[in-house]
Amino acid sequence: MGTPGTSIRYRTDNKTYRLQTGQTPIVRPPLYNEYGLDNFPNGMNAVVAVISYTGYDMDDAMILNKSAHERGFAHGTIYKTKVIRLDENERTNKARSKSARAINKLFGFAPDSFVSAATRSKLDSDGLPHIGAKVTEGDPLCASHNVTYDPAKTSSVAYINNDGVTQLHKYKDSEVAYVEEVRLLGAESGAEPCQSLSIKLRIPRSPVIGDKFSSRHGQKGVCSQKWPAIDMPFSESGIIPDIIINPHAFPSRMTIGMFVESLAGKAGALHGLAQDSSPWRFTEQDTAGDYFGEQLRLAGYNHHGNEPMYSGITGREFAADIYQGVVFYQRLRHMVNDKFQVRTTGPVTQLTGQPIKGRAKGGGIRVGEMERDALLAHGCAFLLQDRLMGCSDYRREWVCKGCGSFLSTQPTVWGGALGGRRGKGTGVVRCRRCARKLADVIEEGSEVGIGEEWEDGSGEKWVGGEDTTIVAIPGVLRYLDVELSAMGVRMRFNVGP
Amino acid sequence: MDYGAMDIDQVGPRVIIRESFPNRADFVLEHVDLAFANSLRRTMLAEVPTMAIDLVEVDENTSVLADEFIAHRLGLIPLNSKQIEDVLYTRDCDCDQYCENCSITLTMHAKCTGDEIMKVYARDLVVAEPRPNEWVGNPVITDEAGLGPVICKLRKGQAVRMKCIAKKGIAKEHAKWAPTSAIGFEYDPNNKLRHLDYWYEVDPIKEWPVDDRNASWESEGGPQQDDETFDYNAVPSRFFFDLESIGNLEPDAVVQQGIKVMQQKLAAVLQELAGDENRNGNAGGDGFGVQEPDGMQGGDYGVDQGYTTPYVNPGATSQWGGGATPYGATPYGQSGWNQ
């Protein structure tokens, strides 16, 4: 996030990220000034302590000072523009300038229609939102109504609303936004009534746990906690860091530049200097460490940039001195609010009954083979079953215990013999494959007891097929059975006990 | 002046104010332990009540800044909080939303009519009367021109009209209620307790700067001598504070308020521990004051090493009848942890 330009006010990008509380970096090359980048700030100078504190800075996580956050550190905004077209469904009509007759919708409430107080509080009398209004999911962004062209012009307007129904165009995103600007988009001819409008929305994004930050050395990290300032470590002069990062972020990546920036930033902040960060200014004999270290020494600090620090919780001095300095931090546009995904139940695919994919649609995250392996290795059988079946395509299906088939089971209906109830379900599920025709059984000479025979919907009499039961299976299993049977392959399930 | 020779009780805590400025207090706290000194630091940082703008009602805002951004800026403007005891917390007040007993209303009404860019300053906030006392709620203005911090800039024709409601609060809730910008805190400047193991290349004495003022204040004086023995029983007892106020409270008021808040918190703890006849817990019986209604009922609870819960089935079997794992008897045998 940064400052994308000076004309943000007049732009209608689909999505723009903007940093609210930008600063000029203490450590910068001369070109920064030449390009006038102070007009486009893209980060903040943060006091950074390199220390493993509380464990919340493990693995490229970083701890943010809660007070710094409250003072505005890294606050940003997203601007989104929604275009609402009334002629959306008539895209086929390529000629943009339509005849006056072809217009059948207008913005605004239908004249003399009932509009609820809830809607009135959200929209102005012209059916458009108030500037600065807060919109949440499901709130109306604007109103429109159907009209027909009235060539006779019986009233003052050329269009008449006949149904008295107002349609509301809703805000569908889940995040709270504020209306920044409403633009009425006219047609090229300028002769027809307004058919589309563009609404610019402003979404405030103060940093939250899970948002991504980075120094200018590719040391990116994710905020893991907003830690209360009183519990943060502090230096003898009372400086509490804005950011805590873990020392393990450095050895393997060798981002020495960040150390030098930290040193230079600290010296610059203490002396009120903007430091020159041009490369190749130093040599092996005359090192950056010595140059900025000397400045630090003059300010009364250790020339390596280390400081004794105290635990904010106990007040005890740490056994080690802590590397603390000022580093320019940027806020990256990867934010949890755009990425988080949760689901318990939700939409499923028609074919398999399994959850659909995709965050926007409320889908699930796949438990793949490797995840399955991990659960198996931990012995989490119940959890595994819950993930793979319970929360997925759990189904209860009738299966024939005799022939082991899902597909041959069928709920039987009352036959013609019972007159009025014909065609109604009996509640008994029988296997049509295992059932035999009564006539065949009698012909065979077998005994048929009273009530053993049954009649199907077409009036034919049958015996047997009652050996069915319900089993819990993943829905795709039955679908597989169907597919295979279409290829002439029969699946047979041994149902126990 | 030789403070040591003064006839002061050497047992109790002692405060020596070394330097005092309108916005800074430099003092030494002696004869207290580390926990106490740090508690005072923490309390002064986060729990001294001050005033800050908490609610902003935007009537008009045609400036280039967004409503919530200006509101945030307004919140961070320090407001005078002298004798804030006169102001109630809004949550403790009898009123429905806010009233003149628990809030102060400031209005900002500015419109740019000239061709020049107009700046709106904190001095342009108009404080409404009546208010709990004559100081509380005034924007803190320390610059010579008497302007205070810039709130926003307006171009010709732009205007802001906002009603700001300032409330009493503490920095633990939001940093805008902080009375201090920083509190310097140091003990043992000569590192005689060896809490800190200095990192050095050749010689720590040469490489590490020492705060001379604090280091020489220690009566023992000077860095560790080679022949000096290390007293491993020593604990820190002298603390060098350097408090910087934001301006809403005088630095001495911050210290006094900090002590007061600490006293109140300790009193609350003592009251809980001592118990009260009218409360449902009794202190003598089981050593606990207030109890959870469902917890701590089984007499066995607490006698083992913590492997049982206060609920229905303490010990080996779980509520479902099987063996409780891993510490009780397991379904595989009597291999319980504590058997």
Side-chain angles (χ1 to χ4, degrees):
Chain A
M1 288 176 124
T3 313
T6 47
S7 57
I8 307 165
R9 168 75 180 72
Y10 304 102
R11 294 181 63 92
T12 53
D13 309 73
N14 280 325
K15 208 172 186 189
T16 335
Y17 296 86
R18 185 189 189 183
L19 188 71
Q20 287 286 18
T21 52
Q23 293 176 342
T24 180
I26 295 175
V27 184
R28 58 185 175 202
L31 275 179
Y32 184 94
N33 300 330
E34 196 167 314
Y35 291 153
L37 281 176
D38 269 349
N39 296 319
F40 308 94
N42 59 1
M44 297 127 298
N45 296 296
V47 176
V48 178
V50 183
I51 172 179
S52 176
Y53 196 67
T54 70
Y56 279 108
D57 54 354
M58 274 190 280
D59 262 330
D60 284 326
M62 45 184 263
I63 301 167
L64 220 61
N65 181 332
K66 180 167 161 283
S67 290
H69 160 259
E70 284 163 356
R71 291 184 197 110
F73 181 78
H75 277 225
T77 309
I78 294 177
Y79 292 101
K80 274 187 189 169
T81 308
K82 306 269 179 203
V83 177
I84 295 163
R85 289 184 213 282
L86 289 182
D87 52 359
E88 194 80 75
N89 304 325
E90 293 150 49
R91 273 288 168 81
T92 45
N93 190 2
K94 280 277 163 135
R96 288 288 297 140
S97 58
K98 295 197 288 184
S99 71
R101 201 173 288 276
I103 284 170
N104 50 23
K105 278 180 178 174
L106 286 180
F107 283 112
F109 298 111
D112 307 320
S113 70
F114 168 76
V115 182
S116 70
T119 309
R120 286 238 184 259
S121 70
K122 303 279 183 197
L123 298 179
D124 211 345
S125 56
D126 57 1
L128 306 178
H130 298 278
I131 304 296
K134 180 179 174 181
V135 283
T136 51
E137 189 174 6
D139 280 355
L141 277 181
C142 68
S144 68
H145 58 279
N146 289 323
V147 288
T148 46
Y149 184 57
D150 175 24
K153 293 189 180 167
T154 45
S155 63
S156 57
V157 282
Y159 297 93
I160 304 171
N161 173 256
N162 291 317
D163 54 5
V165 175
T166 299
Q167 285 125 30
L168 296 175
H169 300 256
K170 299 239 164 83
Y171 174 65
K172 288 173 190 139
D173 298 3
S174 59
E175 263 186 300
V176 169
Y178 298 90
V179 179
E180 170 94 359
E181 184 181 39
V182 178
R183 286 169 184 244
L184 307 180
L185 305 183
E188 276 171 24
S189 67
E192 54 187 75
C194 177
Q195 287 294 281
S196 55
L197 50 99
S198 145
I199 299 176
K200 184 149 83 164
L201 298 168
R202 184 177 73 234
I203 300 163
R205 283 280 177 91
S206 76
V208 292
I209 291 171
D211 285 359
K212 198 173 180 181
F213 298 84
S214 176
S215 75
R216 291 176 291 177
H217 309 270
Q219 281 287 6
K220 53 188 190 280
V222 173
C223 170
S224 61
Q225 283 288 329
K226 284 186 276 192
W227 208 254
I230 51 166
D231 293 336
M232 297 273 280
F234 59 96
S235 74
E236 265 162 17
S237 52
I239 299 289
I240 301 171
D242 297 317
I243 292 171
I244 294 180
I245 57 169
N246 197 289
H248 289 106
F250 292 102
S252 61
R253 287 165 227 188
M254 297 185 276
T255 49
I256 309 304
M258 182 147 162
F259 287 130
V260 180
E261 189 195 337
S262 183
L263 214 61
K266 187 174 177 178
L270 288 165
H271 291 287
L273 299 169
Q275 305 277 22
D276 182 358
S277 70
S278 304
W280 325 122
R281 284 175 62 233
F282 298 102
T283 62
E284 288 291 319
Q285 284 71 45
D286 169 31
T287 63
D290 287 340
Y291 179 79
F292 297 116
E294 180 61 16
Q295 291 185 356
L296 280 179
R297 199 187 60 74
L298 291 172
Y301 283 79
N302 181 301
H303 81 284
H304 293 296
N306 292 13
E307 284 180 65
M309 284 186 91
Y310 297 72
S311 162
I313 297 163
T314 63
R316 201 185 141 100
E317 200 168 11
F318 290 135
D321 34 68
I322 307 300
Y323 194 72
Q324 180 173 262
V326 178
V327 181
F328 193 67
Y329 258 77
Q330 289 161 320
R331 180 154 181 216
L332 305 184
R333 45 183 277 185
H334 303 279
M335 290 173 272
V336 267
N337 265 330
D338 301 320
K339 300 193 171 199
F340 70 93
Q341 196 168 6
V342 282
R343 172 191 171 114
T344 44
T345 54
V348 292
T349 40
Q350 274 298 313
L351 195 62
T352 60
Q354 294 182 346
I356 58 167
K357 279 198 284 184
R359 193 187 95 88
K361 290 172 283 189
I365 299 174
R366 184 181 152 86
V367 178
E369 276 101 307
M370 296 176 76
E371 290 78 9
R372 184 211 60 167
D373 291 347
L375 291 178
L376 280 175
H378 281 276
C380 306
F382 191 90
L383 177 62
L384 189 67
Q385 196 198 25
D386 189 54
R387 291 296 95 196
L388 260 34
M389 212 163 82
C391 294
S392 180
D393 52 350
Y394 175 87
R395 274 176 77 174
R396 291 153 66 87
E397 276 295 336
W398 285 94
V399 65
C400 174
K401 290 207 270 189
C403 63
S405 167
F406 285 116
L407 306 179
S408 62
T409 54
Q410 188 183 52
T412 47
V413 292
W414 294 110
L418 286 137
R421 295 173 72 183
R422 186 192 159 92
K424 298 255 170 66
T426 58
V428 181
V429 176
R430 294 186 174 92
C431 176
R432 297 305 300 261
R433 200 165 169 276
C434 297
R436 300 179 63 207
K437 279 190 176 160
L438 180 65
D440 292 351
V441 177
I442 291 170
E443 199 173 305
E444 228 173 62
S446 305
E447 287 274 314
V448 178
I450 297 161
E452 264 187 47
E453 89 277 13
W454 53 278
E455 199 176 319
D456 67 7
S458 52
E460 208 146 359
K461 290 209 159 43
W462 300 78
V463 172
E466 273 94 5
D467 191 17
T468 57
T469 185
I470 293 177
V471 288
I473 53 151
V476 270
L477 181 62
R478 191 175 191 278
Y479 177 62
L480 177 71
D481 201 352
V482 172
E483 292 253 302
L484 288 176
S485 74
M487 295 194 296
V489 179
R490 180 160 77 96
M491 290 178 83
R492 187 192 163 94
F493 297 88
N494 288 322
V495 184
Chain B
M1 186 175 181
D2 185 9
Y3 294 102
M6 283 172 74
D7 190 18
I8 298 172
D9 182 12
Q10 293 291 313
V11 183
R14 191 168 68 158
V15 174
I16 299 157
I17 298 161
R18 295 197 294 186
E19 271 185 286
S20 172
F21 303 95
N23 62 346
R24 251 185 75 202
D26 187 314
F27 62 95
V28 185
L29 178 63
E30 287 180 353
H31 304 298
V32 295
D33 64 2
L34 175 58
F36 180 89
N38 188 48
S39 304
L40 180 63
R41 182 193 75 91
R42 286 166 61 91
T43 320
M44 291 190 298
L45 269 179
E47 291 182 69
V48 170
T50 58
M51 296 300 289
I53 291 168
D54 196 34
L55 278 175
V56 178
E57 293 171 8
V58 181
D59 291 321
E60 185 185 5
N61 176 20
T62 48
S63 76
V64 291
L65 300 179
D67 297 352
E68 66 269 11
F69 188 63
I70 295 184
H72 179 241
R73 289 182 71 81
L74 284 167
L76 291 175
I77 292 171
L79 301 180
N80 197 325
S81 309
K82 198 172 176 183
Q83 288 186 23
I84 199 163
E85 298 86 350
D86 299 340
V87 190
L88 289 172
Y89 282 110
T90 307
R91 57 175 178 272
D92 298 334
C93 190
D94 296 329
C95 59
D96 282 340
Q97 272 193 300
Y98 53 84
C99 66
E100 59 218 28
N101 295 322
C102 62
S103 72
I104 286 138
T105 305
L106 298 98
T107 42
M108 176 170 72
H109 189 177
K111 181 167 185 168
C112 179
T113 49
D115 290 330
E116 299 276 300
I117 299 285
M118 189 179 97
K119 288 178 183 170
V120 184
Y121 294 97
R123 61 129 194 235
D124 300 322
L125 292 167
V126 181
V127 187
E129 302 287 348
R131 48 182 166 154
N133 67 42
E134 58 183 296
W135 306 284
V136 104
N138 284 336
V140 173
I141 292 164
T142 48
D143 54 325
E144 279 174 18
L147 299 170
V150 178
I151 296 166
C152 65
K153 292 183 183 178
L154 299 176
R155 220 180 99 164
K156 188 173 189 178
Q158 294 177 340
V160 281
R161 195 168 77 245
M162 296 183 185
K163 185 181 167 194
C164 315
I165 290 102
K167 291 180 179 173
K168 185 178 169 183
I170 57 170
K172 206 180 231 184
E173 190 180 336
H174 194 284
K176 68 185 173 186
W177 279 298
T180 60
S181 51
I183 297 180
F185 180 92
E186 186 180 9
Y187 65 85
D188 188 26
N190 295 311
N191 199 29
K192 294 209 168 159
L193 304 170
R194 301 195 198 170
H195 282 183
L196 173 61
D197 183 12
Y198 280 117
W199 184 88
Y200 60 92
E201 277 178 344
V202 185
D203 182 6
I205 310 278
K206 281 184 190 146
E207 289 173 34
W208 278 93
V210 179
D211 188 338
D212 262 339
R213 215 159 65 100
N214 290 350
S216 55
W217 187 270
E218 302 261 84
S219 53
E220 304 82 30
Q224 182 92 30
Q225 302 300 311
D226 285 340
D227 56 340
E228 211 171 324
T229 50
F230 173 52
D231 178 9
Y232 46 82
N233 284 320
V235 288
S237 67
R238 185 183 288 124
F239 302 91
F240 301 92
F241 279 82
D242 186 1
L243 181 148
E244 186 181 341
S245 163
I246 280 172
N248 40 15
L249 281 173
E250 308 265 304
D252 59 323
V254 176
V255 181
Q256 283 168 14
Q257 289 281 318
I259 292 168
K260 196 175 142 192
V261 171
M262 238 164 89
Q263 279 177 332
Q264 283 165 348
K265 291 185 84 174
L266 284 171
V269 172
L270 284 175
Q271 197 179 8
E272 287 294 322
L273 286 175
D276 190 331
E277 297 303 313
N278 301 326
R279 288 162 183 258
N280 51 4
N282 68 28
D286 50 16
F288 297 101
V290 180
Q291 285 195 328
E292 288 286 336
D294 60 342
M296 313 280 190
Q297 280 167 345
D300 298 336
Y301 178 64
V303 292
D304 67 348
Q305 298 102 336
Y307 299 129
T308 54
T309 64
Y311 297 101
V312 198
N313 266 321
T317 53
S318 76
Q319 269 178 292
W320 299 279
T325 52
Y327 303 119
T330 68
Y332 319 110
Q334 283 297 316
S335 58
W337 181 271
N338 50 355
Q339 253 91 56

